[in-house]
Amino acid sequence: REVASTGGSCGKHVWMVYALMTLHAVCYQLQTPLEPYLVDHLVGKGAAGTTWYGYLRSFYQVIQFIGAVVFGGFLDRYGCRHGLWVSCLASAVCFLLLANSTN
């Protein structure tokens, strides 16, 4: 534990994790303003598009709430290192699915 506090090699890894998580957060915030356009484009303009966008945002928040509880239990049981691996792997799978989607 002293290695991380004195800026040893473990400190470099911690800063890399901070940088990657910051990059992930910035990229998410950059895509958020495009969501209403995407919903209008895919669902259609008007009240239906607005309603479906509300459903999308609500669904995301509910899943995030449930996932935080489940993932918190996973972190308590297996530790942060395994949790970070699972999180990065899940993000990679989601990005691969998004890259291969047709519509």
Side-chain angles (χ1 to χ4, degrees):
R1 298 218 182 251
E2 286 183 37
V3 174
S5 63
T6 59
S9 65
C10 187
K12 292 178 186 176
H13 293 89
V14 171
W15 283 108
M16 179 62 74
V17 170
Y18 285 149
L20 289 174
M21 294 310 293
T22 301
L23 180 65
H24 180 75
V26 167
C27 289
Y28 176 74
Q29 291 300 325
L30 288 174
Q31 79 179 10
T32 301
L34 297 175
E35 289 175 358
Y37 167 76
L38 291 174
V39 171
D40 282 346
H41 180 70
L42 295 173
V43 176
K45 294 185 184 266
T50 305
T51 302
W52 279 105
Y53 180 67
Y55 291 156
L56 175 71
R57 295 301 293 176
S58 298
F59 178 73
Y60 176 78
Q61 295 299 325
V62 168
I63 294 300
Q64 187 177 24
F65 179 74
I66 294 169
V69 174
V70 172
F71 199 65
F74 179 83
L75 288 175
D76 288 342
R77 176 171 282 189
Y78 297 107
C80 292
R81 180 175 291 184
H82 292 92
L84 187 61
W85 273 105
V86 169
S87 177
C88 289
L89 183 64
S91 291
V93 168
C94 287
F95 289 139
L96 286 173
L97 289 173
L98 184 62
N100 292 320
S101 66
T102 58
N103 57 356

